[in-house]
Amino acid sequence: MPVRSAAPRRFGPATTVLVGYAAVVGTGFLLLALPIAKAGPGGAHPLDALFTSISAVSVTGLVTVGTAEHWSLFGQVVILALVQTGGLGIMTLASLIGLAVARKLSLGSKLSTSAETQGVGLADVRRFIVGAIAVSLIVEAVGAVVLAVWFATAGGFAPLRAAWYGVFHSVSAFNNAGFTILPRGLVPFVGDPVVCLVLSALVLIGSLGFPVLDELRRYPRTPLRWSMNTRLVLWGTVVLTALGTVFVTAVEWGRASTFGPLDWPTKLLAGFFQAAQTRSGGFSTVDVGQLDDATLIVMDVLMFIGGGPAGTAGGIKITTFGVLFFILVAEMRGRSAVNVFGKRLSRAVHRQAITVSLVAVGAIVASTAVLALLSDEPVDRLAFEAVSAFATAGLSTGITPDLPPAAQALLLVLMFAGRLGPILLASALAVRVRPLTYEFPKERPIIG
């Protein structure tokens, strides 16, 4: 009898996404390790190259070396390409190439893109890909032009340098990456309304997520047609940014090391800017390491929540937090169903939100404990770095470059896992799913 050859093993959608991101990270590492990528003689340290590559692909913005001083123009271009690739998504870009070449998408491409974006239906994948690319390029182009003109006129930079600064920071902001190549960072622009408001707008727009931006484009004047996802993201973004602005501004108002020396309009602008960056932006116009402990705790919470799903922001997502909030409200009111904006939530969504949140909390707590064992830095600072890494926010108290290599490696893992998402990572690592064909009898333990 003829022996039938074994069928080639196919990766599942989640595993394909993991492999795709790993391949791009590896490519970025190899490019950044080249001597041409480093400013000055010699090449970059392998850990610095790998850390920067993962930080860029995961659109986090944490760094072990200064982006402006350590990397050459070639290195900065590589970082920007990695940011754009990571922000849009590996599978999104791969599917776009497939559309351009074959004029159609295979089922595997649709499944991989849907898994990567975590919620885009198969029927909407093609529109999602085209829309995501179009929105990204248009918004980034507008931001780049405004910033370039402002850097050239008000900033006093040479035209070509101003143009490069405009393009780099527009792409970095829209993709919620937080990388900056300005010689002194954004601190000199703490009172500059154009730079601060443009960067904040780009961060907030990118954090909404492409499904929300698509609905806003299609139904700009008919909010009743907006989905629950869009309403949760919009309301959550407004409320969290407003509350964050009020809290940060109030706490830091008179502190000599942060907002104290600023006039009151600049204090308001700085408070709004820092609150907006917790969506996952990662920029800062003040020394984050000098912020009050209470401010850092609130920023931990805001970074942990993050932005909208299927976008460039990190965190557990505003929709996940919103579901948990409405579950709490329903339980406190003694209601059996959870209703949000006139619609009832599926119980499967309850479980997904709780699972994502608990996995994220577990990852951050465990990593903070390990960081405390590896470093002598204060625990609150280590927790801030861990939350920022897992939520791909990129804000830092300034201790990351001074951490031991093992601690930096842990942050590296957190950034990669945080970008892919706890559920995506877990499903990719799972061997198989075995559905139960039976149910156990019900029983209730005592809660509280």
Side-chain angles (χ1 to χ4, degrees):
M1 294 180 60
V3 179
R4 289 172 25 176
S5 60
R9 185 177 180 180
R10 297 179 180 273
F11 289 129
T15 306
T16 302
V17 174
L18 271 175
V19 172
Y21 271 88
V24 174
V25 166
T27 302
F29 163 71
L30 294 176
L31 292 175
L32 292 175
L34 295 174
I36 192 177
K38 182 178 177 294
H45 189 279
L47 182 58
D48 292 333
L50 180 60
F51 194 98
T52 303
S53 179
I54 288 187
S55 184
V57 174
S58 64
V59 289
T60 301
L62 287 177
V63 294
T64 54
V65 292
T67 307
E69 308 85 29
H70 190 80
W71 303 108
S72 66
L73 178 61
F74 175 83
Q76 293 173 6
V77 171
V78 171
I79 291 172
L80 191 65
L82 294 174
V83 166
Q84 184 72 84
T85 303
L88 285 173
I90 309 300
M91 295 304 112
T92 301
L93 290 176
S95 298
L96 176 68
I97 295 173
L99 274 174
V101 174
R103 301 297 180 90
K104 63 180 180 179
L105 283 175
S106 66
L107 179 59
S109 296
K110 290 183 178 181
L111 288 172
S112 298
T113 304
S114 182
E116 180 184 43
T117 54
Q118 300 183 42
V120 178
L122 293 181
D124 301 324
V125 167
R126 183 188 181 101
R127 188 182 67 199
F128 172 85
I129 293 170
V130 176
I133 300 294
V135 168
S136 298
L137 295 180
I138 292 173
V139 175
E140 290 170 356
V142 172
V145 170
V146 174
L147 289 174
V149 171
W150 190 252
F151 284 143
T153 55
F157 294 107
L160 287 179
R161 183 172 293 274
W164 172 235
Y165 286 164
V167 171
F168 189 98
H169 289 88
S170 180
V171 173
S172 181
F174 179 77
N175 289 285
N176 279 239
F179 282 93
T180 177
I181 55 173
L182 289 167
R184 296 172 55 198
L186 291 174
V187 173
F189 297 91
V190 62
D192 191 317
V194 174
V195 173
C196 291
L197 293 178
V198 169
L199 290 179
S200 296
L202 289 168
V203 166
L204 292 173
I205 292 172
S207 72
L208 294 178
F210 295 115
V212 173
L213 295 176
D214 182 57
E215 282 201 16
L216 293 178
R217 179 188 61 82
R218 289 188 293 152
Y219 313 120
R221 299 181 180 179
T222 52
L224 293 178
R225 302 188 66 177
W226 293 350
S227 65
M228 182 190 298
N229 179 79
T230 295
R231 296 184 185 188
L232 278 173
V233 172
L234 291 178
W235 274 107
T237 299
V238 171
V239 171
L240 292 174
T241 304
L243 292 178
T245 300
V246 171
F247 187 91
V248 172
T249 305
V251 173
E252 302 297 329
W253 187 273
R255 285 177 58 83
S257 58
T258 53
F259 290 10
L262 309 176
D263 56 46
W264 71 265
T266 304
K267 291 179 181 179
L268 295 177
L269 179 62
F272 167 74
F273 186 83
Q274 290 309 135
Q277 300 312 306
T278 58
R279 292 279 65 73
S280 195
F283 294 114
S284 59
T285 53
V286 295
D287 186 354
V288 176
Q290 297 298 320
L291 294 174
D292 188 86
D293 291 343
T295 302
L296 294 180
I297 291 174
V298 170
M299 292 176 69
D300 280 338
V301 174
L302 294 176
M303 290 189 298
F304 179 78
I305 295 172
T312 60
I316 63 171
K317 310 303 182 186
I318 289 178
T319 46
T320 303
F321 177 77
V323 167
L324 294 177
F325 174 78
F326 282 105
I327 290 175
L328 176 64
V329 171
E331 192 65 30
M332 294 179 65
R333 292 181 176 180
R335 295 178 178 176
S336 58
V338 179
N339 300 317
V340 181
F341 301 126
K343 299 289 182 66
R344 182 169 59 87
L345 277 179
S346 166
R347 292 194 178 275
V349 177
H350 302 189
R351 296 192 298 270
Q352 292 170 1
I354 293 172
T355 301
V356 168
S357 302
L358 289 179
V359 169
V361 169
I364 291 171
V365 171
S367 59
T368 301
V370 175
L371 287 174
L373 294 174
L374 297 173
S375 172
D376 295 329
E377 298 288 348
V379 175
D380 59 336
R381 280 359 188 211
L382 294 174
F384 190 91
E385 304 296 304
V387 173
S388 182
F390 187 82
T392 68
L395 291 169
S396 175
T397 57
I399 66 173
T400 296
D402 299 326
L403 292 176
Q408 293 178 351
L410 178 57
L411 292 179
L412 181 151
V413 173
L414 280 175
M415 290 188 293
F416 191 72
R419 176 55 181 158
L420 295 178
I423 289 294
L424 179 59
L425 186 61
S427 62
L429 297 177
V431 178
R432 59 175 178 168
V433 177
R434 295 185 294 178
L436 293 176
T437 57
Y438 58 89
E439 290 186 355
F440 291 104
K442 291 182 179 180
E443 185 175 350
R444 297 184 61 178
I446 300 174
I447 302 296

